[in-house]
Amino acid sequence: MIGAICLAGTKLVVGLLTGSLGILAEAVHSGVDAVAAALTVYAVGVAERPPDTEHQYGHGKAQHLAALAEAVFLAGAAVLIAFEAVGRLTGNGKEAQATWYAFALMVFVLTVDAARAGASLRVGRREQSPALLANAVHFASDFGGSLAVLIGLGLVAEGVSGGDSVAALIVAAIVLFAAVRLGRSNVDALMDRAPTGIRGRVERAVRSVPGVSDVRSVRVREAAGESFAEVVIGVPRLEGLERSHRTMDMVEDAVSRELGRAQVAVHAEPATAGERANDRIAAAALRVPGVVETHNITVLQEAGGSAVTLHVRLPQDMPLGEARRTVDELKREIRREIGVVRVYAHVEPSTPDAQPASRLAGDDGDLIAAAREAVRGVAGDHHEVVVYRQGDRLLVVTSVTADPLLSVREAHALASRVEDVVRERLAGVDDVIVEVT
């Protein structure tokens, strides 16, 4: 800003002394530079402020507003310069004088313009600052204009009529081109135009995240070197809230890695792609208020159509009438989901709270020994047996070590055999839990 003020004053003095329209045009141009630089100083300061209640996305667009104002000033200066240059070319103005100090001034100006453009470009790229990058473009156009003025003075020195005015017209054209380019890019930012090619890059990054079934929408905008992305993804309906949230976190990280400085918002919606019948039934059950959980889902094919059997857990204190209505709604949801003919639901009580129980020992040694003998008869010596008394209920819990090559179906069959034998040997047992490891 200080450089622009000094250059504007020096150019103005030399331009008036020599009558060079090109140098006077550069003086106007430098005056606009000074105003633009002052705007940039203010805008960068505003843009660095953190988000507040009235500007929840931050203040970054202040830089784009400053750059847009700079474009308006540039365009006005270009029109003024062009008008005066055309007037001189048509014989309404005096010819410039190509003095030595005019040449010295323009060589000095070229040096300053190159230094300012380079400094603004380096810092603008490092900080991703639209205002500083706009200044770099502006100062580069200054360099081109100053070079044209220097050539125009050379033509005047060689006796070419109108050389200075032609140089002024070139300055006006360069300034106007820079103004249009600057205005267009910053209007795009203020209008939230999506950066070219960004959407495809973001979508590819999101699709690479495990757990994402599909990408439903991607919206990206930029302000002050920072990206703002909104992504809607599909996740399997049975993922659960925590796993879905973890997937959303991974999507945020993937998009941030792709864009650099970015604020990312991710919204997840249920996806049905790749679901099997049992998955769809379990998902339908989640839509019914009061249903705690479903398991043992089986789809049966018969001549009249499909039937479904399943176990349903409901709150243990739920009245039977309310339970019946809940199960009826569950059946309607399952029919709506997969179009089955009949649904058979076995209701079980859900006891979510911890239940008091005592582990048997000592005086109940015969009962414990009988339970161990029953398990040994099916599972061999690799097992552990614990017996609990819960009020008037008796629970046998056993852990059986089996061949790791067994399938889950075979392991379940082994657990069922152990349960059957324990119930047969110990008539008073209320529940048998078998863990196969």
Side-chain angles (χ1 to χ4, degrees):
M1 182 171 65
I2 294 171
I5 292 173
C6 294
L7 286 175
T10 306
K11 289 176 183 177
L12 181 61
V13 171
V14 174
L16 291 173
L17 289 174
T18 61
S20 169
L21 180 59
I23 295 179
L24 288 173
E26 279 295 296
V28 173
H29 196 179
S30 294
V32 173
D33 285 353
V35 175
L39 279 173
T40 301
V41 170
Y42 174 73
V44 170
V46 171
E48 290 299 314
R49 296 175 186 171
D52 54 37
T53 55
E54 294 182 347
H55 305 87
Q56 297 178 2
Y57 290 94
H59 300 76
K61 285 191 175 181
Q63 295 196 43
H64 296 289
L65 288 170
L68 191 59
E70 185 174 340
V72 173
F73 289 142
L74 282 172
V79 171
L80 180 63
I81 294 167
F83 182 79
E84 182 64 24
V86 170
R88 287 199 179 187
L89 286 172
T90 55
N92 296 328
K94 61 179 182 179
E95 191 62 56
Q97 300 176 27
T99 62
W100 68 268
Y101 53 83
F103 282 100
L105 171 67
M106 295 317 299
V107 171
F108 173 71
V109 167
L110 285 171
T111 303
V112 173
D113 286 341
R116 291 193 302 170
S120 292
L121 183 63
R122 283 194 306 274
V123 180
R125 284 177 173 174
R126 186 179 70 231
E127 301 295 333
Q128 294 185 312
S129 167
L132 289 173
L133 290 173
N135 264 4
V137 173
H138 193 158
F139 294 146
S141 72
D142 286 356
F143 184 89
S146 299
L147 185 60
V149 172
L150 183 61
I151 294 171
L153 287 173
L155 293 174
V156 170
E158 293 296 323
V160 178
S161 176
D164 181 60
S165 298
V166 171
L169 279 176
I170 293 173
V171 171
I174 291 173
V175 172
L176 187 60
F177 174 78
V180 171
R181 184 171 179 267
L182 189 58
R184 183 178 61 188
S185 64
N186 285 280
V187 166
D188 286 345
L190 291 169
M191 293 297 293
D192 292 332
R193 181 176 180 178
T196 304
I198 290 292
R199 186 184 185 282
R201 287 168 48 198
V202 170
E203 186 169 336
R204 286 191 294 273
V206 173
R207 290 189 185 280
S208 68
V209 175
V212 175
S213 296
D214 57 84
V215 182
R216 301 190 173 177
S217 74
V218 172
R219 296 196 298 176
V220 183
R221 65 179 180 88
E222 289 184 343
E226 186 173 22
S227 298
F228 298 83
E230 297 176 6
V231 182
V232 179
I233 60 173
V235 296
R237 290 190 289 179
L238 298 181
E239 282 290 270
L241 179 59
E242 291 203 12
R243 289 172 64 181
S244 297
H245 189 267
R246 186 166 65 248
T247 299
M248 293 162 68
D249 285 343
M250 290 191 292
V251 168
E252 288 182 18
D253 292 341
V255 175
S256 296
R257 286 194 301 271
E258 185 65 35
L259 298 181
R261 273 182 67 197
Q263 295 186 31
V264 186
V266 183
H267 173 69
E269 296 179 347
T272 60
E275 284 186 345
R276 295 173 295 184
N278 282 25
D279 298 328
R280 296 179 63 187
I281 293 168
L286 292 176
R287 297 197 293 264
V288 180
V291 173
V292 177
E293 182 257 345
T294 57
H295 59 279
N296 285 11
I297 300 172
T298 304
V299 180
L300 307 173
Q301 295 290 342
E302 55 182 351
S306 300
V308 170
T309 65
L310 74 161
H311 291 205
V312 184
R313 288 191 183 274
L314 302 178
Q316 62 177 356
D317 298 326
M318 178 182 284
L320 184 58
E322 184 179 348
R324 184 179 294 113
R325 290 190 293 272
T326 300
V327 171
D328 288 342
E329 184 177 353
L330 170 63
K331 291 181 178 181
R332 285 193 296 270
E333 287 294 332
I334 293 174
R335 292 191 186 101
R336 186 180 300 118
E337 182 73 31
I338 65 171
V340 295
V341 177
R342 286 182 292 276
V343 179
Y344 303 99
H346 169 71
V347 175
E348 298 177 351
S350 174
T351 54
D353 297 327
Q355 302 296 311
S358 58
R359 183 169 176 171
L360 301 190
D363 296 340
D364 297 295
D366 292 342
L367 182 59
I368 297 172
R372 288 175 177 167
E373 185 63 29
V375 174
R376 185 180 294 108
V378 178
D381 294 328
H382 302 289
H383 66 273
E384 178 185 358
V385 176
V386 179
V387 182
Y388 291 95
R389 190 175 298 281
Q390 185 188 44
D392 57 354
R393 299 180 71 242
L394 198 63
L395 285 74
V396 175
V397 180
T398 177
S399 179
V400 175
T401 302
D403 186 345
L405 297 179
L406 289 180
S407 66
V408 172
R409 181 179 60 82
E410 292 168 330
H412 183 264
L414 173 61
S416 297
R417 291 199 303 273
V418 171
E419 181 179 350
D420 291 342
V421 170
V422 171
R423 288 185 181 277
E424 180 181 343
R425 299 281 181 86
L426 284 76
V429 170
D430 294 280
D431 202 357
V432 180
I433 307 298
V434 182
E435 176 189 54
V436 179
T437 62

